[in-house]
């Protein structure tokens, strides 16, 4: 079977509409970073002082990296391995070498999906407790709130210690991790149009409705005024701080899911009539709006009790926000908790199916497996590893985000802007759009975006992570 035949067969199950693709792509972008990191960075670096650099980087990355990855995937009709191989072949270089390089983002996507599986186990458990009223029953007792999360998510210093801990205790949150992975599997076995697209067309609009309701509610909560005033403050001197720009770039880079994997594989399922530039703009707008809504919920909420929004990790979602929500009044606390954890659940599930889609597609492309066995293998592997690394999840996610994701974005950029023929690359991005491609797209991607990816890799290592 030739590559072209494989592509044609795979294309039979692609996105059925541009809207379905955008909702799926937005789902891959909107995740934990929007909810537990973005509000913290806005708080730490001063409202508009952080938002201005962030908006600048959204424009830069969406109009270069996102367009490049969507275009590369659609042009090749494959995930990273096949796309990188075809790019090398188009540039007169070794196809096999390109496929080997393409294995890096595939591996990164699988590892990130495994780490997300653990986090989604926490989310499913907390969503259950929100629905049953267990979260509200904790009140504002930090010993109970902190102890509950500590029991669900114990920590280990090393991977070996984590594995020993898991086998010794039977795992802290096994059931809910299995449920989270099973949820992803149940969506993905139905394929792209009937599974991923259909699910995201329900989850993502529901996510935005819930977030808007929460944001509007916060306007009427006493004591939130100082939070809003802080969001809209600008310190011109702060814009001269390089750290603000570094973290704004890192947050944007990871939030838009530029990693040479998920955007490439979703691009492979795109029809030739879809406008790449328009899609990239809409994805960036929706992703940024989700982050802003999270900011408008969390910063005003924390302001009601004068809390320091200094923790941007899991502690923000599972520990520090709970006493704030539970202090808003018995009648409304339960509704707020339910809405909030459903938002987090939808954001997480839509992200995890994108992360697992890349390795699933790899098994379909290279081993010629059918959809069901390919999806089953990846999810079985994912859940087994996730169960073992539970107490080491933070270090696992740092490893992937610092080393593997930037490398995936960098190599994809190299393939598109440096290896492929210029005419091929431009035609791939232009396809389906009557509006001429901006003249600066190619040189900007080549000389600005690709070096930024390398910079993200270097700064991530030097600073212990920037996104």
């Amino acid at each position: 079977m030739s590559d072209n035949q494989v592509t044609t067969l795979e294309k039979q199950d692609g996105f059925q509409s541009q809207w379905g693709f955008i909702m799926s792509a937005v789902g891959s972008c909107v995740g934990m970073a929007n909810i537990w990191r973005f509000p913290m960075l806005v708080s730490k670096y001063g409202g508009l002082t952080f938002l201005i650099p962030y908006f600048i980087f959204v424009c830069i990355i969406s109009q270069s990296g996102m367009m490049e990855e969507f275009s590369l995937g659609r042009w090749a009709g494959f995930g990273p391995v096949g796309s990188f191989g075809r790019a090398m072949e188009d540039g007169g270089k070794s196809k096999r070498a390109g496929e080997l390089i393409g294995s890096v983002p595939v591996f990164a996507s699988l590892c990130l999906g495994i780490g997300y599986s653990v986090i989604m186990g926490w989310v499913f458990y907390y969503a259950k407790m929100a629905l049953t009223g267990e979260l509200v029953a904790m009140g504002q007792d930090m010993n109970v709130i902190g102890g509950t999360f500590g029991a669900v998510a114990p920590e280990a210093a090393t991977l070996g210690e984590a594995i020993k801990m898991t086998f010794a205790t039977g795992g802290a949150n096994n059931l809910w991790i299995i449920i989270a992975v099973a949820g992803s599997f149940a969506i993905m076995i139905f394929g792209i149009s009937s599974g991923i697209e259909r699910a995201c067309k329900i989850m993502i609009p529901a996510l935005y409705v819930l977030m808007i309701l929460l944001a509007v509610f916060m306007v009427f909560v006493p004591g939130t005024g100082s939070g809003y005033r802080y969001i809209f403050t600008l310190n011109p001197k702060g814009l001269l701080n390089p750290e603000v720009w570094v973290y704004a770039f890192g947050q944007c880079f990871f939030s838009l899911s530029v990693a040479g994997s998920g955007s490439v594989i979703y691009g492979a399922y795109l029809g030739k009539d879809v406008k790449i530039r328009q899609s990239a703009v809409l994805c960036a707008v929706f992703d940024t709006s989700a982050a802003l809504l999270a900011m408008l919920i969390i910063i005003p909420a924390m302001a009601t009790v004068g809390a320091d929004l200094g923790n941007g990790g899991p502690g923000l979602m599972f520990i520090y926000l709970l006493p704030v929500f539970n202090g808003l009044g018995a009648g409304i606390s339960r509704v707020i908790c339910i809405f909030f954890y459903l938002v987090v659940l939808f954001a997480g599930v839509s992200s995890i199916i994108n992360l697992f889609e890349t390795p699933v597609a790899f098994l379909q492309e290279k081993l010629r497996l059918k959809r069901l066995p390919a999806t089953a293998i990846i999810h079985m592997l994912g859940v087994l590893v996730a169960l073992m690394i539970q107490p080491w999840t933070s270090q696992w996610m740092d490893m992937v985000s610092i080393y593997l994701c930037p490398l995936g974005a960098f190599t994809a950029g190299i393939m598109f802007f440096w290896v492929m023929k210029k005419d091929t690359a431009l035609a791939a991005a232009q396809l389906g759009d009557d509006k001429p491609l901006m003249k600066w797209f190619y040189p900007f991607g080549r000389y600005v975006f690709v070096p930024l990816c390398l910079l993200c890799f270097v700064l991530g290592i030097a600073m212990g992570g920037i996104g």
Side-chain angles (χ1 to χ4, degrees):
M1 183 180 290
S2 70
D3 283 349
N4 287 336
Q5 288 174 306
V6 175
T7 301
T8 301
L9 289 172
E10 293 299 327
K11 282 289 189 176
Q12 290 179 2
D13 181 25
F15 293 111
Q16 297 301 303
S17 67
Q18 184 173 6
W19 177 248
F21 161 69
I22 290 170
M23 288 296 96
S24 301
V26 169
S28 72
C29 296
V30 176
M32 301 301 111
N34 297 73
I35 299 169
W36 76 26
R37 184 169 173 83
F38 183 82
M40 182 273 291
L41 290 173
V42 173
S43 175
K44 181 177 181 179
Y45 292 111
L48 287 174
T49 311
F50 178 82
L51 291 175
I52 290 173
Y54 185 83
F55 293 149
I56 291 172
F57 285 121
V58 167
C59 295
I60 290 174
I61 295 173
S62 67
Q63 294 298 280
S64 54
M66 289 188 79
M67 287 181 62
E68 161 251 308
E69 293 193 2
F70 290 154
S71 301
L72 177 62
R74 182 173 66 174
W75 167 77
F78 291 105
V81 170
S83 294
F84 286 21
R86 284 202 64 190
M88 291 284 277
E89 195 174 36
D90 181 73
K93 296 175 175 58
S94 168
K95 178 181 179 181
R96 178 61 178 161
E99 291 179 338
L100 288 173
I101 296 170
S103 65
V104 173
V106 173
F107 180 66
S109 190
L110 174 61
C111 289
L112 201 57
I114 290 170
Y116 246 75
S117 298
V118 179
I119 296 169
M120 287 309 300
W122 305 340
V123 173
F124 270 83
Y125 180 59
Y126 271 70
K128 184 271 295 186
M129 288 197 292
L131 289 167
T132 60
E134 294 170 79
L135 292 184
V136 174
M138 295 180 193
Q140 295 178 299
D141 189 332
M142 291 303 294
N143 289 327
V144 174
I145 292 171
T148 300
F149 183 63
V152 171
E155 295 184 0
T158 66
L159 179 57
E161 182 184 333
I163 294 173
K164 288 180 182 178
M165 186 184 297
T166 298
F167 278 107
T169 63
N173 201 36
N174 286 0
L175 172 63
W176 295 97
I177 292 173
I178 292 170
I179 289 174
V181 175
S184 170
F185 176 75
I187 292 171
M188 293 184 66
I189 55 172
F190 291 102
I192 308 306
S193 59
S194 298
I196 294 174
E197 181 175 1
R198 182 173 294 176
C200 288
K201 285 167 76 173
I202 296 171
M203 288 191 294
I204 301 306
L207 178 152
Y208 279 95
V209 169
L210 291 172
M211 291 187 86
I212 290 169
L213 288 174
L214 285 171
V216 170
F217 172 78
M218 284 300 161
V219 174
F220 300 98
V221 174
T224 57
S226 62
Y228 294 116
R229 285 192 294 272
Y230 184 79
I231 287 171
F232 295 105
T233 58
L234 172 64
N235 176 15
K237 290 183 179 179
L239 293 174
L240 301 177
N241 181 2
E243 190 174 291
V244 174
W245 292 82
V246 168
Y247 282 102
F249 166 63
Q251 174 66 21
C252 183
F253 186 89
F254 289 102
S255 182
L256 292 179
S257 293
V258 180
S261 53
S263 297
V264 174
I265 191 60
Y266 275 8
Y269 301 134
L270 270 181
K272 296 183 184 300
D273 59 333
V274 172
K275 297 177 175 63
I276 292 290
R277 185 184 185 188
Q278 182 185 74
S279 298
V281 169
L282 289 173
C283 286
V285 168
F286 277 114
D287 176 70
T288 303
S289 64
L292 293 174
L293 284 169
M295 172 193 73
L296 291 171
I297 295 165
I298 293 172
I299 292 181
M302 298 295 277
T304 62
V305 293
D308 177 23
L309 190 58
N311 188 311
L316 175 63
M317 286 199 315
F318 301 107
I319 300 176
Y320 301 109
L321 272 176
L322 267 182
V324 176
F325 288 160
N326 287 342
L328 295 178
I332 198 67
S333 294
R334 187 168 178 179
V335 175
I336 295 294
C337 285
I338 291 171
F339 279 17
F340 181 77
Y341 285 102
L342 284 178
V343 164
V344 180
L345 191 148
F346 290 150
V349 170
S350 59
S351 294
I352 203 172
I353 57 179
N354 173 263
L355 293 170
F356 279 143
E357 179 59 30
T358 301
V360 166
F362 170 77
L363 294 184
Q364 290 185 274
E365 291 170 9
K366 291 303 175 185
L367 300 185
R368 305 293 190 259
L369 295 181
K370 297 292 186 182
R371 180 75 185 184
L372 179 59
T375 307
I377 289 171
I378 292 302
H379 282 77
M380 287 174 62
L381 175 63
V383 76
L384 287 174
V385 177
L387 292 175
M388 287 191 291
I389 68 162
Q390 289 180 67
W392 203 66
T393 303
S394 178
Q395 298 94 319
W396 177 278
M397 295 295 276
D398 284 345
M399 174 190 70
V400 178
S401 62
I402 292 173
Y403 296 99
L404 297 179
C405 290
L407 274 182
F410 176 68
T411 52
I414 288 289
M415 292 297 163
F416 189 86
F417 290 114
W418 287 91
V419 174
M420 286 170 60
K421 296 173 183 173
K422 180 179 179 179
D423 289 346
T424 305
L426 291 176
Q430 180 68 65
L431 183 65
D433 196 344
D434 296 331
K435 185 178 179 180
L437 196 66
M438 51 277 200
K439 293 182 179 179
W440 51 264
F441 167 70
Y442 191 81
F444 188 87
R446 199 175 219 213
Y447 299 112
V448 178
F449 174 71
V450 172
L452 280 175
C453 292
L454 182 59
L455 183 64
C456 183
F457 177 67
V458 173
L459 289 175
I461 294 173
M463 302 175 70
I466 61 171

